[in-house]
Amino acid sequence: MIDIKIFEFNFVAVNTYLLYDETKESVLIDCGCMNQNEEQTLSDFIEHNNLQLKRLLCTHLHYDHIVGNAFIHHRYGLEPEAHHADVELLPSARTQMRFMNVFQFSMPDDINITKYLNENDKICFGNSELTIRHVPGHSPGSLAFYNQRDGFVLTGDALFDDSIGRTDLWGGDYDILMASIKDKLLTLPDETVVYPGHGPSTTIIDEKRFNPFLH
């Protein structure tokens, strides 16, 4: 069974997810730590639980979700992995932060992404597995990570509790996002727990019933 540790990092309150199982192998998804205290919080948890961090995964490449990638790269030697569409079509984290007037925070190193993730790829760690679903719309390369055995999906900024991702940033497209949600997420079992990029968790059935954007 997969344990999920959720960290809320940086001033945009990004959900950073650390997944691990009984083997102590783990994967990190959307590393949003932006200062030394947040970096310490993350590394302390990894070390105190004797976890072996195997992969650094990105649901998408907006700066608030990748601002901690440089720390993980330098500390653990891992290269971030993402969909090629975001690599090709989105500006760097530094450029995004300048565009968004985020000057009060130190600029992260831009770590090149050379490992690409695609639809139906399997992410294996320990005795566990995640399946990738490509859910473009919030960004061209947005991904969701689904675990059928334990019944959960990490949706990045595609789907939230009673909301959906914004589509006014680089490469965003409302119609494409709605199609992604309906075809790739709402087709999951109703009881599937949804862990979004920001805010509280929800379930597929609750979003079908109550999300005002889906009616």
Side-chain angles (χ1 to χ4, degrees), residues 118-133:
N118 298 291
E119 174 82 8
N120 294 323
D121 282 355
K122 306 295 184 183
I123 304 295
C124 299
F125 60 102
N127 298 321
S128 302
E129 179 180 278
L130 303 172
T131 301
I132 292 177
R133 295 193 166 207

Side-chain angles (χ1 to χ4, degrees), residues 18 36 79 93 100 102-103 135 146-147 149 156 161:
L18 183 64
Q36 289 185 348
E79 295 183 2
M100 301 292 285
V102 185
F103 296 115
V135 289
Y146 175 55
N147 179 268
R149 181 188 66 187
D161 179 23

Side-chain angles (χ1 to χ4, degrees), residues 83-145:
H83 193 275
H84 66 87
D86 272 10
V87 177
E88 295 168 0
L89 298 175
L90 266 58
S92 69
R94 284 174 173 259
T95 300
Q96 292 180 43
M97 292 175 74
R98 292 189 186 99
F99 180 85
M100 301 292 285
N101 294 317
V102 185
F103 296 115
Q104 65 269 45
F105 301 94
S106 60
M107 292 290 185
D109 293 334
D110 283 320
I111 304 300
N112 290 331
I113 292 180
T114 58
K115 296 182 178 180
Y116 296 130
L117 302 173
N118 298 291
E119 174 82 8
N120 294 323
D121 282 355
K122 306 295 184 183
I123 304 295
C124 299
F125 60 102
N127 298 321
S128 302
E129 179 180 278
L130 303 172
T131 301
I132 292 177
R133 295 193 166 207
H134 183 208
V135 289
H138 175 65
S139 73
S142 287
L143 301 173
F145 299 94

Side-chain angles (χ1 to χ4, degrees), residues 149-208:
R149 181 188 66 187
D150 295 340
F152 68 83
V153 61
L154 285 77
T155 57
D157 285 1
L159 179 64
F160 299 112
D161 179 23
D162 286 346
S163 189
I164 62 172
R166 61 189 293 183
T167 56
D168 59 337
L169 298 174
W170 305 272
D173 187 296
Y174 177 82
D175 291 335
I176 292 176
L177 176 60
M178 293 303 295
S180 292
I181 292 171
K182 292 177 179 179
D183 295 342
K184 300 291 185 67
L185 298 177
L186 298 188
T187 52
L188 295 173
D190 283 348
E191 64 274 13
T192 303
V193 177
V194 175
Y195 292 103
H198 305 266
S201 61
T202 180
T203 61
I204 292 297
I205 188 61
D206 280 349
E207 296 316 298
K208 286 181 178 179

Side-chain angles (χ1 to χ4, degrees), residues 34-59:
M34 189 173 273
N35 56 53
Q36 289 185 348
N37 287 337
E38 292 179 342
E39 293 170 356
Q40 192 67 49
T41 296
L42 177 57
S43 61
D44 281 351
F45 186 91
I46 292 171
E47 291 161 15
H48 290 166
N49 289 277
N50 298 313
L51 301 181
Q52 304 172 46
L53 191 58
K54 294 296 184 179
R55 299 177 75 167
L56 173 57
L57 311 174
C58 307
T59 61

Side-chain angles (χ1 to χ4, degrees), residues 57-70:
L57 311 174
C58 307
T59 61
H60 64 294
L61 297 182
H62 288 154
Y63 77 90
D64 50 322
H65 291 257
I66 62 174
V67 70
N69 283 356

